[in-house]
Amino acid sequence: MSRPDTTPNSDGVNRDALAHNLTGAHDPDFLALGLGGTNMMAMLWTIASGRRAVGVELRGGPSLGVHWNIREELYHHLGLIDKMMMERYGEARMPRRGDGKILYLADSLYQPGLPAGPVAADEVVTGFLSSYVGAEARIAGTVQHAEFIDDRFKDGHPNRIVTVLDPVALPTAPDERRLGGSMTEVLDGPSAFQSRAADVLILLRRYLEAVERQDLNDGVTPRVRLFSQHRVLTDGTGFQDTGDGRKRVRIEAVRELDFKGKFRRVRAPGTDVIDLGVPRVFMVAQGFRSDDADQLGFTQEDVKVDHGDGRGPVVAQADYLAGLMDVLVDGRLRRRVASEFDEDGTEYWVRQIAVGHEGDPAVGWVLVQVPDFKKFDPIAAGLIPAGTDHESPEYYAGYQYLLREFYLEQSSHILGIPASELRTVQMTYGPKMFSLVERTGKDALVAANGVIAGDSFGNGHFMTSGGAMTGMVGHGRRVLDYWRAIEDGTAHGDAVRALADGIKEDTDGWLHVSAQEFSQAAPINFGTERIQQIAESSGRDASARAAAIDASRRHRHTLAPLDYSDWRRPVMYPGSVYAFPLPPLSATHPAAARVTVTAGK
């Protein structure tokens, strides 16, 4: 038998044909503009509450290649959705996998006793593993190893302290009591699972697609309608006032063109404008750059952080290099903080993280912070002659070489693998430079029936998947709260006001937790007790702060956010797969000084 098609857009349905069938698309209870994790969780809560949901997505299928560190709360949320769906609709109207079994979200993500490893979401959802391999598996890997390396200088000398922490206790079943709690508490807690972002998103998308397909086949009003490769009209007529503060929404099908390395989108030939009517409530969650949010007049402001250095609040900004190597980091979350010194001898702290996936040697994500004073100038490095045009291929090639060499050197410090050996390892993404700048809005309410959510509303530090968790666990659940308020008789105006306020509260919690990632050594999402243990092991105050350069004086002024289209156009460095367990963490600082090694919970 041939293996089922598991491409990101393959759900067995001609979605172009579905776009011409508008059954159930008009005046939805909930309209999701953007089908990332935030809005798909919101759609799931909506249909589990007995309402109709419509989703519109410009990019088509999920393709985000980063790996997420997932808090336990997401698993419990998915479990409650499974329960609510079964109680409301019964087995007959539950979505099915490709092998005919009921598709459960929580069990697909994680089920005790099932193996992890290199498992794609579609292999679970289609039933390929059970039908063709004869075994079940789970999408998420577990975090089995948590380690913190403190390589900050002490008394002017290199000093290494390694703290090895016990893994968190994993849940045995979903627990709906874990639905509450503030985002500060959620994000401060340790990660339990790890998964490729695209696989989590594909799981949610396939579930919604299965519900839509089932209802259309049964001839009933669909609980879900999905319009991928569609967008709100951009000519000023996409959002239309109704006279009472609400918005009518009109969309169009688009065709994507790759024009000189940039994606361009135009109206699909032969298609008409689709009037979705006036949704009861719509949510825009399209990432940190949202055209729809802009159309609605939504604006953001830079977030400032006080580093405690006497300069007052400055813009929260940091540069990182991201890369994906074929290295068996395994079910591990490893963090490192180290000292870097500028030419004047001023000490700065830089952060690194290594993330893997249980049993998968092709997942070795390493993110490396670049010191604010660091320059990658091939002329200054002596790689090319003085006077070389900065726009020339020679200059760019020298810049890329310095970037890669710095990344591999820093990666060797956190992985414990010599840089010379890492140069022979296959790298399927990066190293890619990007800038993190925290920004947030003042009010999520942009219409009497519309809110902004996810990264489109505000973003904190990405290091520990805070954005994904804030959107899916926080903002998504706020939609459930909205429907519960409506069911309890709350007026729509009051309920949507509470929805918007909840979104801001969750984002503010994320920003609060993120602040320490810009100047303090203690990592977030290790858990409060673990952070205290790290502080005790290092003998340093967990709230101590490092120096930081104001954004206006940085050597790299160009802001380069992570480009989601990169995942569809990877540049690979061919090489070998490092399928061995990582070497034991060395007790020796990279600068070869005396160190202390501690172990504990």
Side-chain angles (χ1 to χ4, degrees):
M1 294 184 177
S2 61
R3 179 172 174 153
D5 183 3
T6 59
T7 56
N9 287 311
S10 175
D11 66 330
V13 173
N14 184 335
R15 308 213 68 80
D16 289 336
L18 278 185
H20 296 287
N21 177 359
L22 302 181
T23 304
H26 198 70
D27 293 340
D29 294 310
F30 180 78
L31 173 62
L33 298 178
L35 288 179
T38 300
N39 259 336
M40 285 197 285
M41 286 297 292
M43 292 181 72
L44 290 166
W45 287 122
T46 296
I47 62 174
S49 300
R51 309 284 178 160
R52 286 189 301 115
V54 171
V56 179
E57 171 58 47
L58 176 64
R59 288 188 290 259
S63 59
L64 185 58
V66 298
H67 236 67
W68 280 342
N69 292 300
I70 300 172
R71 310 308 194 273
E72 183 181 331
E73 281 76 7
L74 179 62
Y75 169 71
H76 297 301
H77 284 212
L78 295 178
L80 181 55
I81 290 171
D82 288 331
K83 178 183 177 182
M84 291 173 62
M85 289 289 291
M86 180 64 77
E87 290 176 347
R88 182 173 295 278
Y89 300 111
E91 287 192 16
R93 297 194 68 193
M94 288 291 286
R96 302 279 168 168
R97 304 192 323 184
D99 59 2
K101 296 179 181 179
I102 293 176
L103 175 57
Y104 290 108
L105 292 165
D107 285 351
S108 298
L109 181 73
Y110 170 73
Q111 190 173 163
L114 291 185
V119 178
D122 275 322
E123 293 177 336
V124 174
V125 173
T126 60
F128 167 77
L129 291 173
S130 61
S131 299
Y132 292 81
V133 181
E136 296 282 359
R138 51 185 162 86
I139 293 169
T142 59
V143 180
Q144 302 171 334
H145 310 278
E147 301 143 346
F148 183 74
I149 306 170
D150 188 342
D151 274 347
R152 291 175 293 168
F153 275 50
K154 187 175 184 179
D155 299 327
H157 300 285
N159 187 65
R160 166 166 284 198
I161 299 170
V162 176
T163 306
V164 180
L165 303 160
D166 288 339
V168 298
L170 296 172
T172 57
D175 183 354
E176 61 185 87
R177 292 174 299 179
R178 296 293 297 271
L179 194 65
S182 69
M183 281 313 303
T184 298
E185 294 171 338
V186 171
L187 296 177
D188 260 339
S191 296
F193 310 110
Q194 294 170 324
S195 177
R196 190 172 71 109
D199 282 320
V200 176
L201 298 176
I202 287 170
L203 171 63
L204 305 184
R205 183 75 67 88
R206 295 295 178 261
Y207 190 98
L208 293 167
E209 289 169 348
V211 172
E212 178 188 41
R213 180 171 60 248
Q214 181 184 50
D215 290 348
L216 289 172
N217 289 342
D218 291 346
V220 299
T221 301
R223 292 164 284 181
V224 173
R225 293 308 316 268
L226 299 171
F227 294 90
S228 59
Q229 294 183 316
H230 284 68
R231 67 181 176 187
V232 175
L233 296 178
T234 59
D235 61 358
T237 66
F239 294 102
Q240 296 184 336
D241 293 328
T242 60
D244 58 2
R246 297 180 300 160
K247 298 290 186 181
R248 174 183 297 273
V249 182
R250 303 165 74 233
I251 65 173
E252 63 180 351
V254 296
R255 176 166 294 175
E256 189 173 75
L257 308 174
D258 190 341
F259 179 72
K260 295 183 178 180
K262 298 289 185 180
F263 288 124
R264 298 289 184 266
R265 296 173 178 92
V266 298
R267 169 88 63 86
T271 60
D272 299 320
V273 170
I274 299 173
D275 187 344
L276 295 179
V278 183
R280 185 160 193 169
V281 63
F282 69 87
M283 180 182 284
V284 178
Q286 299 168 323
F288 52 83
R289 286 179 174 170
S290 169
D291 292 338
D292 289 346
D294 290 344
Q295 287 197 72
L296 292 163
F298 178 77
T299 59
Q300 293 179 318
E301 296 179 350
D302 289 341
V303 174
K304 295 186 177 182
V305 173
D306 190 338
H307 297 286
D309 54 8
R311 293 183 296 120
V314 296
V315 174
Q317 179 174 325
D319 291 352
Y320 281 83
L321 286 168
L324 174 60
M325 293 179 279
D326 283 13
V327 173
L328 181 61
V329 176
D330 209 4
R332 174 175 274 103
L333 177 57
R334 180 179 289 178
R335 298 289 301 270
R336 178 176 182 258
V337 61
S339 299
E340 293 285 344
F341 298 88
D342 65 14
E343 58 187 16
D344 297 323
T346 303
E347 180 182 9
Y348 298 86
W349 296 345
V350 293
R351 296 149 191 83
Q352 297 161 5
I353 186 171
V355 174
H357 189 100
E358 181 185 352
D360 191 344
V363 179
W365 276 101
V366 178
L367 275 68
V368 171
Q369 184 177 359
V370 182
D372 291 341
F373 59 83
K374 180 72 174 177
K375 293 185 291 185
F376 299 99
D377 184 347
I379 295 177
L383 296 178
I384 55 177
T388 301
D389 185 355
H390 286 206
E391 300 297 324
S392 68
E394 292 80 8
Y395 189 94
Y396 184 73
Y399 165 81
Q400 287 290 100
Y401 173 81
L402 293 174
L403 209 70
R404 177 172 163 81
E405 286 299 298
F406 175 82
Y407 175 80
L408 293 177
E409 176 193 13
Q410 296 299 311
S411 295
S412 72
H413 298 330
I414 190 170
L415 294 176
I417 302 172
S420 59
E421 190 165 357
L422 288 178
R423 291 187 187 96
T424 69
V425 170
Q426 180 163 283
M427 180 176 288
T428 52
Y429 177 84
K432 181 79 172 182
M433 173 88 82
F434 62 97
S435 294
L436 166 73
V437 181
E438 290 193 340
R439 297 177 63 82
T440 190
K442 291 184 177 179
D443 189 354
L445 191 67
V446 290
N449 62 334
V451 295
I452 309 294
D455 285 357
S456 297
F457 177 74
N459 66 283
H461 206 289
F462 65 90
M463 184 71 94
T464 52
S465 307
M469 295 301 100
T470 301
M472 291 193 289
V473 173
H475 299 173
R477 179 184 62 84
R478 298 292 182 175
V479 174
L480 171 64
D481 294 342
Y482 169 85
W483 292 122
R484 286 177 168 175
I486 294 296
E487 291 172 2
D488 290 341
T490 303
H492 164 78
D494 294 333
V496 76
R497 178 70 264 170
L499 170 60
D501 292 343
I503 289 169
K504 178 171 173 52
E505 179 183 336
D506 291 336
T507 299
D508 286 346
W510 180 20
L511 294 173
H512 172 75
V513 172
S514 295
Q516 69 189 58
E517 289 282 4
F518 287 94
S519 58
Q520 294 173 228
I524 65 175
N525 101 296
F526 268 48
T528 304
E529 293 181 1
R530 289 169 150 197
I531 290 175
Q532 183 60 36
Q533 182 188 344
I534 289 170
E536 292 173 355
S537 299
S538 67
R540 296 195 183 193
D541 184 353
S543 63
R545 297 173 181 270
I549 291 180
D550 183 71
S552 64
R553 296 190 291 113
R554 292 156 56 89
H555 288 287
R556 299 177 306 280
H557 295 290
T558 301
L559 298 183
L562 204 59
D563 189 345
Y564 283 80
S565 67
D566 287 345
W567 312 117
R568 301 170 56 187
R569 225 202 284 277
V571 176
M572 178 182 294
Y573 288 93
S576 61
V577 175
Y578 190 95
F580 311 101
L582 290 185
L585 280 170
S586 172
T588 303
H589 190 283
R594 180 185 61 80
V595 300
T596 301
V597 177
T598 65
K601 293 183 179 180

